Amino acid sequence: MTVKDIEGSQATQQHEGVQDDDELLVDTSKMSEGQAEALEVAESARQKEWKQPSFGSQLFMGTFAPDMLFPFPEQSVEDKKIGDKFIAELGPYLKEHLDADAVDETRTIPQNVIDKLFEMGAFAMKIPQKYGGLGFSQVNYNRVIQLVSSHCGATAVLLSAHQSIGVPQPLLMYGTEEQKQRWLPRFRKDAISAFALTEPNVGSDPAQMSSTADMSEDGTHYILNGEKLWCTNGAVADIMVVMCRTKPKIVNGKERQQITALIVEKNMPGVEVVHRCDFMGIRGIQNALLRFTNVKVPKDNLLWKEGRGLALALGTLNVGRLTVPAACIGMSRQALSVCRRFGRDRVQWGQPIGLHEPGRQKLAFIASTTQAIEAVTWLTSHWADQKKNDIRIEAAMAKLFCTENAWRIADMTVQMRGGRGYEKASSLQARGEEPFPVERMMRDSRINLIIEGTSEIMRLFLAREALDPHLNLAAGLLKKNSSMGTKISTLFKMMGFYAMWYPKQWINGSSFSSYPKFGKLSQQMKFVEKTSHKLARTLFHYMARYQDALERKQLILGNLTDIATELFAMSATCSYAVMQAKQRGNDEPLDLAAHFCWLAKRRIEGHFRSLKQTEETSANPIGKKIINGDYRWMEEDIVWVGDNS
Ligand SMILES: Cc1cc2nc3c(=O)[nH]c(=O)nc-3n(C[C@H](O)[C@H](O)[C@H](O)COP(=O)(O)OP(=O)(O)OC[C@H]3O[C@@H](n4cnc5c(N)ncnc54)[C@H](O)[C@@H]3O)c2cc1C
């Protein structure tokens, strides 16, 4: 295989990958049974094919493709008009009729607000018009989520859990025409939906799933039993998609778990809301522990096919998780507005606190990082609409980047407000001050780093995709059952490929590229190009050293995926800023982007430095000793929670 072949396969994304019944490319012999099973389940659900180009996948291989994101995509005039009209009606309505602090305190989104949202079609934004929905583009849908999030996190989550991951999304992606016609129109009328994957023992690791659906003797329905935890909208949902185990399949002589997705209706006998969960933030959501006892689910309610439930859940999340970044924009823009006003009006030590150097630093961070969050969100949203690129890597990067940075912004905003940042809006109002809800914003935004794939799981996901081209190339060597002939031919194939590819990663292509279209930001684009080569060769060095065991080196991979994510954010931001500068007729957006790139560059340099230290990190042995209980002496003289075993 030549460099051209690999680059071609990345451009058209035709990686062969591990097929459903293929052997794993990663050696599981040194893993515990649980680890091996978790990996097998995850691999069998992983989308292996790459039918479209992926910016992120190429970045990991040292190919920087700026043409994919420049010029920055823009909404068509007609599409923008649709979004503008909806937002012009919804924004003022929310300001007047939805008291977000009352939602937080009472844990209730008023029914009249929910009714109004149904009347406007807000529960059917993403549903095509032929099924009665509004047929919004991903961009317009995300614009609405941004707006709602800027005001009330819980209401935004009600809408997004319903249609980003709830029944409409997987139904549109994997349902039959008959199933779509049957259920989708109900979401325009009055039905709320939910997505039920998590269980008490199933968080990030679905291999532990214990909910079961056995086929009835007459073959007409499944019998569903089990519990689902933290199901958002679960306490009020009329229709939900439930992931559960069905009859296992034998693959290569071994039993392989089958996770299947079923559509379950609240009024089916045996569906029970056991407990409504209460949280630190987004307190108005109707999130529940659900129990299913011998629920008869007609076999027509099977989504896609048996054994594809986890792939369905992951595929749903690939697009579904794009809403979380949009929510981060709403919160971050609100934070900027609060900090600007407070930074200007609050005078201490003889000048506005926003003009003291630490104040200026915070304002510059918040504004430039908000711009980057927007760039990443709108780029991935446009790509989702255009359907020309494979966005699974970029959607995960967007989720990771936007949630972690929005959290930093929330933290900084609380700090900027000092004691007022810690005080509830109702208390501020009671003493006659502007009721900026900063503490609620902070509580509401923390969950974004956990739901729809935690930050750690996003990094694992990105790392697996980063390694994919190398693992595929070496598949003939890594598979235990390969013949000697296959091993030798794989070795030659690899030598041929790396002999061409590797030297290219040392040639600084950015010396020959000038990126004139990026104007003031051309240096930043050169940095991205140069660093993508460094990233690719560093990944290769670790791959050569650890081979398939690299997949378990999470510190190394975490640093590499964070570098790639920052590079993606830098490229998106530069392109976005050029478009904004043209629209606004001045350089302000370019200056913001340059500042963001400076911050990102410093973080990237930190990641490369950390890579050198991961080998000798003292954290690993200390962490292990803590789990062993060796440091229990450090827990003395506190009032223990529970039995402190
Ligand atoms: C408010 C809220 C709403 C939710 N809504 C829904 C919903 O609508 N539907 C639904 O199905 N679920 C929902 N969830 C569940 C949510 O998706 C899970 O909390 C999330 O997937 C993480 O699972 P866990 O909490 O069990 O964490 P665990 O899997 O127990 O993980 C705990 C910690 O360990 C880390 N970790 C786990 N595995 C690894 C690993 N291999 N390597 C490194 N670190 C690891 C995690 O990143 C995390 O930091 C919701 C949760 C909350 C709190």
Side-chain angles (χ1 to χ4, degrees), residues 548-596:
D548 56 329
L550 180 57
E551 201 166 2
R552 295 193 297 280
K553 297 271 175 198
Q554 288 194 31
L555 285 185
I556 293 172
L557 292 172
N559 278 301
L560 294 172
T561 52
D562 282 356
I563 291 167
T565 302
E566 296 282 5
L567 293 177
F568 172 55
M570 284 177 74
S571 330
T573 306
C574 289
S575 178
Y576 183 61
V578 170
M579 178 193 74
Q580 286 182 313
K582 207 182 279 171
Q583 286 171 349
R584 309 195 67 77
N586 64 44
D587 277 3
E588 284 167 3
L590 304 181
D591 296 337
L592 271 187
H595 185 64
F596 167 73

Side-chain angles (χ1 to χ4, degrees), residues 53-59 63-66 68-69 383 390 394 568 571:
S54 156
F55 181 88
S57 170
Q58 294 184 67
L59 203 58
T63 304
F64 177 46
M68 285 180 73
L69 42 76
W383 279 353
D390 187 311
E394 295 76 12
F568 172 55
S571 330

Side-chain angles (χ1 to χ4, degrees), residues 539-550 556 611 615:
L539 178 64
F540 173 74
H541 294 161
Y542 282 114
M543 189 74 207
R545 181 163 166 197
Y546 294 109
Q547 295 160 25
D548 56 329
L550 180 57
I556 293 172
L611 274 171
E615 295 302 307

Side-chain angles (χ1 to χ4, degrees), residues 325-337:
C328 293
I329 301 179
M331 197 281 293
S332 303
R333 285 194 156 202
Q334 193 67 269
L336 179 62
S337 169

Side-chain angles (χ1 to χ4, degrees), residues 221-226 268-271 292-297:
H221 57 268
Y222 293 93
I223 302 165
L224 175 67
N225 282 289
M268 290 176 176
V271 178
F292 305 102
T293 313
N294 294 325
V295 181
K296 287 185 178 176
V297 184

Side-chain angles (χ1 to χ4, degrees), residues 86-127:
F86 196 87
I87 284 168
E89 186 185 347
L90 184 59
Y93 173 82
L94 293 177
K95 192 163 171 70
E96 196 174 330
H97 299 280
L98 181 63
D99 180 343
D101 291 306
V103 169
D104 183 60
E105 270 162 42
T106 62
R107 297 179 62 209
T108 308
I109 300 170
Q111 190 56 44
N112 65 321
V113 173
I114 295 177
D115 292 344
K116 174 68 182 176
L117 291 171
F118 265 112
E119 188 194 309
M120 290 182 71
F123 284 89
M125 284 186 276
K126 284 185 77 186
I127 295 173

Side-chain angles (χ1 to χ4, degrees), residues 343-359:
R344 177 195 62 200
D345 300 340
R346 174 78 175 164
V347 176
Q348 292 288 284
W349 300 73
Q351 69 170 337
I353 55 131
L355 290 181
H356 291 291
E357 271 201 349

Side-chain angles (χ1 to χ4, degrees), residues 49-343:
E49 284 170 358
W50 297 80
K51 295 193 175 128
Q52 292 169 312
S54 156
F55 181 88
S57 170
Q58 294 184 67
L59 203 58
F60 280 117
M61 288 298 280
T63 304
F64 177 46
D67 291 348
M68 285 180 73
L69 42 76
F70 190 88
F72 200 86
E74 287 185 62
Q75 269 192 293
S76 69
V77 177
E78 303 80 62
D79 196 49
K80 187 167 178 315
K81 247 192 219 159
I82 294 169
D84 288 349
K85 186 164 174 269
F86 196 87
I87 284 168
E89 186 185 347
L90 184 59
Y93 173 82
L94 293 177
K95 192 163 171 70
E96 196 174 330
H97 299 280
L98 181 63
D99 180 343
D101 291 306
V103 169
D104 183 60
E105 270 162 42
T106 62
R107 297 179 62 209
T108 308
I109 300 170
Q111 190 56 44
N112 65 321
V113 173
I114 295 177
D115 292 344
K116 174 68 182 176
L117 291 171
F118 265 112
E119 188 194 309
M120 290 182 71
F123 284 89
M125 284 186 276
K126 284 185 77 186
I127 295 173
Q129 289 175 349
K130 71 171 178 167
Y131 303 112
L134 302 190
F136 274 13
S137 60
Q138 181 75 33
V139 172
N140 276 338
Y141 170 62
N142 274 355
R143 288 177 66 196
V144 175
I145 295 296
Q146 172 200 322
L147 177 83
V148 181
S149 300
S150 71
H151 183 63
C152 178
T155 306
V157 172
L158 162 71
L159 292 172
S160 73
H162 162 79
Q163 57 205 312
S164 290
I165 55 172
V167 178
Q169 183 70 32
L171 187 54
L172 279 166
M173 289 174 77
Y174 303 100
T176 62
E177 187 52 36
E178 192 270 325
Q179 288 176 322
K180 290 177 193 171
Q181 285 181 13
R182 182 168 156 208
W183 280 296
L184 289 175
R186 286 177 58 187
F187 301 118
R188 177 66 181 89
K189 236 175 112 217
D190 56 9
I192 294 180
S193 83
F195 172 89
L197 173 66
T198 306
E199 295 182 2
N201 286 324
V202 177
S204 311
D205 171 14
Q208 311 269 337
M209 189 166 291
S210 63
S211 294
T212 54
D214 299 321
M215 183 52 82
S216 63
E217 275 179 16
D218 63 2
T220 58
H221 57 268
Y222 293 93
I223 302 165
L224 175 67
N225 282 289
E227 283 189 350
K228 289 289 170 184
L229 183 61
W230 296 327
C231 182
T232 302
N233 296 346
V236 292
D238 303 276
I239 311 169
M240 55 199 115
V241 54
V242 179
M243 267 49 74
C244 50
R245 289 168 87 142
T246 46
K247 199 171 162 216
K249 190 165 123 183
I250 304 297
V251 179
N252 296 331
K254 265 179 71 185
E255 204 173 78
R256 182 175 286 176
Q257 275 192 40
Q258 298 293 289
I259 296 176
T260 297
L262 299 177
I263 294 187
V264 176
E265 303 228 18
K266 177 174 74 180
N267 60 12
M268 290 176 176
V271 178
E272 185 190 349
V273 176
V274 181
H275 171 72
R276 182 180 166 202
C277 307
D278 191 6
F279 299 105
M280 170 201 288
I282 51 168
R283 299 190 69 240
I285 64 169
Q286 292 277 352
N287 181 295
L289 169 65
L290 301 174
R291 184 172 299 143
F292 305 102
T293 313
N294 294 325
V295 181
K296 287 185 178 176
V297 184
K299 81 171 193 306
D300 291 347
N301 289 27
L302 167 68
L303 256 184
W304 200 3
K305 52 184 177 176
E306 275 193 20
R308 301 311 290 155
L310 190 55
L312 173 144
L314 299 181
T316 299
L317 285 166
N318 272 343
V319 186
R321 62 169 64 99
L322 290 179
T323 321
V324 180
C328 293
I329 301 179
M331 197 281 293
S332 303
R333 285 194 156 202
Q334 193 67 269
L336 179 62
S337 169
V338 169
C339 289
R340 176 185 56 77
R341 286 182 274 167
F342 188 69

